Amino acid sequence: MSPVMVYVPLAQDEALRLRAAGVLEGPWLGHAATPGLLRAHDLTGEEEDAEYTALAYAGVTSLLSGAASLRLVLATETADASVLDPDDAFGRVSVPRLRWAAVSSLFADEADSAERLARARRLVDRLDFEQAVDSEQIEELLDASDLLWFAPEELERLPRSTV
């Protein structure tokens, strides 16, 4: 398999451990511009929208994890990702291990998003992924809380999450 960009939600302490160790064994759930995601959203894969869609789904997965008040998603290029279901509209993939050297960017919430995300977390309580994605209230809260781009070197500068 050729390398693919995968968006993997992590807690900040996991990201710090990954940077310190260089490698963290998984498996890790991520989202990518898979054939199923491309078909479901009528995208070609050549569009930036395909990557943005995978990132947005990783943001929902991060919200559902409840690991921290702020979300963190790593963008990593890997040839090891395996598609969980070729028809999955959400581009879910499994990554056996994460390598810090392959992390190209970080996406994180601003500190002022914590209140909106707390409301979204209360709404997702007892919902599965598909129900969370379909919720208009959750979508509105997440749309107001964009995941911002950071370089991997900025990990320490990210707003600190509270558990």
Side-chain angles (χ1 to χ4, degrees):
M1 177 179 186
S2 61
V4 61
M5 187 62 67
V6 178
Y7 299 92
V8 180
L10 286 182
Q12 283 183 326
D13 64 329
E14 292 171 324
L16 290 166
R17 281 198 327 264
L18 172 59
R19 187 183 63 190
V23 175
L24 281 183
E25 295 298 324
W28 299 93
L29 175 65
H31 295 265
T34 63
L37 180 141
L38 297 175
R39 277 192 307 278
H41 298 280
D42 198 26
L43 299 168
T44 65
E46 300 297 319
E47 304 161 24
E48 191 174 301
D49 288 344
E51 297 294 327
Y52 179 79
T53 301
L55 172 62
Y57 287 142
V60 173
T61 296
S62 179
L63 179 71
L64 287 166
S65 75
S69 60
L70 299 175
R71 300 171 296 161
L72 173 62
V73 175
L74 276 66
T76 182
E77 194 167 35
T78 181
D80 295 338
S82 53
V83 176
L84 298 176
D85 174 356
D87 295 322
D88 179 42
F90 306 109
R92 287 175 277 211
V93 298
S94 178
V95 180
R97 75 195 50 77
L98 296 174
R99 291 181 176 82
W100 183 254
V103 174
S104 62
S105 55
L106 308 171
F107 294 88
D109 289 304
E110 291 181 300
D112 68 358
S113 296
E115 185 179 318
R116 281 187 301 277
L117 294 170
R119 282 187 280 159
R121 278 203 174 80
R122 286 190 296 274
L123 290 171
V124 300
D125 190 36
R126 295 185 232 125
L127 296 182
D128 65 19
F129 180 84
E130 288 82 2
Q131 292 168 323
V133 168
D134 287 341
S135 168
E136 288 182 32
Q137 287 178 300
I138 294 169
E139 181 179 358
E140 287 173 13
L141 289 166
L142 294 183
D143 283 349
S145 301
D146 286 335
L147 289 166
L148 304 177
W149 181 93
F150 295 89
E153 301 80 37
E154 296 179 283
L155 181 59
E156 254 92 24
R157 295 181 51 211
L158 299 180
R160 291 299 299 170
S161 293
T162 56
V163 178

